[in-house]
Amino acid sequence: MLAVDMDEVAVVALDRKLRFLATAEERVQRIIGRGLAQLIDRGELLSIGPARAGDYARERLGISAREAQELARIERFMPRYPETDRLRQAGGLTRSHVREILCRVRPEDEFVWARLAPAN
């Protein structure tokens, strides 16, 4: 539990650590999404055990089937949305922002819309 009387230096240091962990989590999610997309798209899941992507996600990765699908879907679309991907990797877009852009914006219009999304 955090102490209520933290001095300013400790608060700034804790903030820095938490932001680092949040961006590290985002990087890990991108890697997981790419890997899931490859396993699913190549039909390789059966060769390692689970019959369905949702089973694999729950049993091996500890995430829900829905989250696994979303991570893989985002990674499949990123080559068609380069500005969105660039801003996401720079920390300027959350996964929610990316999901909204992918659902609502055509690839040819994404440059403008990606830059309109609020920063973290």
Side-chain angles (χ1 to χ4, degrees):
M1 201 161 196
L2 297 175
V4 178
D5 61 345
M6 293 175 63
D7 65 14
E8 189 173 335
V9 173
V11 170
V12 170
L14 180 58
D15 172 62
R16 186 173 46 249
K17 288 176 185 177
L18 292 172
R19 286 184 292 123
F20 171 80
L21 291 171
T23 59
E25 180 181 6
E26 175 61 29
R27 288 190 300 274
V28 168
Q29 288 177 342
R30 288 195 312 258
I31 294 166
I32 289 171
R34 277 186 226 122
L36 283 167
Q38 288 178 5
L39 284 174
I40 295 165
D41 296 348
R42 294 178 183 174
E44 297 291 341
L45 283 175
L46 281 175
S47 68
I48 57 175
R52 297 182 311 204
D55 295 335
Y56 178 80
R58 282 188 302 280
E59 294 169 12
R60 304 260 178 116
L61 304 178
I63 61 176
S64 71
R66 174 173 271 162
E67 182 173 4
Q69 289 170 344
E70 180 178 292
L71 291 173
R73 180 180 168 275
I74 287 171
E75 292 308 317
R76 284 186 193 106
F77 277 92
M78 281 299 94
R80 294 179 16 206
Y81 291 82
E83 183 64 10
T84 299
D85 193 32
R86 187 188 72 71
L87 290 170
R88 173 183 72 147
Q89 289 186 40
L93 295 176
T94 65
R95 188 170 13 152
S96 296
H97 292 132
V98 171
R99 183 176 48 246
E100 290 300 315
I101 290 168
L102 296 181
C103 289
R104 302 180 193 291
V105 178
R106 296 178 307 188
E108 58 270 19
D109 298 328
E110 66 102 15
F111 185 85
V112 172
W113 287 101
R115 293 184 161 267
L116 289 175
N120 284 346

